[in-house]
């Protein structure tokens, strides 16, 4: 069973399990050398800075290490930095949260998701297009665009009994060049 205590655990577990994701890491706010190295190793048009200490905490888009430095005072001790997925908004097939609970007799799915290019993980609960608690056998789930790719990814990687923040794309993205990118996995936080 997977146990995730916080965002740092999530990032570590995503990497340990070899899941497809956008480059990301957690940094001590004072470790400017490591942060600058991340920017050098992961060239991109845009990056995201996030708080590690609270859900929906400080959140900024930046284009460079220099811009990032200007935002460091907005964070406590640590921050996460990731390559932004925003440049791929038009390629979204499905974005949301899913949990597949599996026992010896059934698989139950909880999914909240959207399939529009304005979808992000901060607004999916405001107006979800798909919001189901259903058995995996329910045809409504399989009618959701990208659901079959997502379920194949979950099955292939044994991602059961955890909350998964995901994006299914029409193109291959992320460090593993796949149509499914895992943004975060959660259990107890």
């Amino acid at each position: 069973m997977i146990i995730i205590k916080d965002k740092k655990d999530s990032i570590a577990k995503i990497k340990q399990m070899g899941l497809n994701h956008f480059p990301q890491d957690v940094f001590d706010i004072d470790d400017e050398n490591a942060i600058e190295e991340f920017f050098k190793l992961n060239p991109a048009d845009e990056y995201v800075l996030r708080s590690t200490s609270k859900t929906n905490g400080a959140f900024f888009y930046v284009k460079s290490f220099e811009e990032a430095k200007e935002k460091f005072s907005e964070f406590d001790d640590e921050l996460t930095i990731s390559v932004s997925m925003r440049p791929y908004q038009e390629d979204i097939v499905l974005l949301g949260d899913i949990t597949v609970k599996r026992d010896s007799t059934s698989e139950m799915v909880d999914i909240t998701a959207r399939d529009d290019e304005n979808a992000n993980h901060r607004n999916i609960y405001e107006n979800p297009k798909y919001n189901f608690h259903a058995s995996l056998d329910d045809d409504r789930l399989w009618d959701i665009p990208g659901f079959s790719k997502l379920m194949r990814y979950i099955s292939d990687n044994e991602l059961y009994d955890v909350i998964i923040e995901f994006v299914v794309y029409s193109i291959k993205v992320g460090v593993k060049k796949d149509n499914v990118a895992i943004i975060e996995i959660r259990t107890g936080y």
Side-chain angles (χ1 to χ4, degrees), residues 108-123:
M108 294 300 295
V109 176
D110 288 297
I111 186 169
T112 302
R114 292 173 56 169
D115 60 3
D116 59 281
E117 67 181 54
N118 295 318
N120 63 57
H121 285 97
R122 290 181 173 234
N123 72 13

Side-chain angles (χ1 to χ4, degrees), residues 5 17 27 29 31 34 40 45 50 59 68 80 82 85-86 97 100 105 108 110 112 120 123 128 141 153 159-160:
K5 295 180 291 198
M17 293 179 74
F27 297 94
I29 208 70
D31 194 353
K40 287 178 184 174
D45 294 336
R50 288 188 182 97
F59 180 94
T80 64
S82 62
M85 51 188 232
R86 204 163 61 161
D97 286 358
V100 181
T105 60
M108 294 300 295
D110 288 297
T112 302
N120 63 57
N123 72 13
L141 295 172
Y153 195 87
L159 294 173
Y160 297 102

Side-chain angles (χ1 to χ4, degrees), residues 9 19 47-48 51 67 80 87 112 114 138 142 146 152 160 181:
D9 269 2
L19 303 175
Y47 303 86
V48 181
S51 170
E67 271 187 56
T80 64
T112 302
R114 292 173 56 169
D138 192 321
W142 297 98
R152 188 174 315 110
Y160 297 102

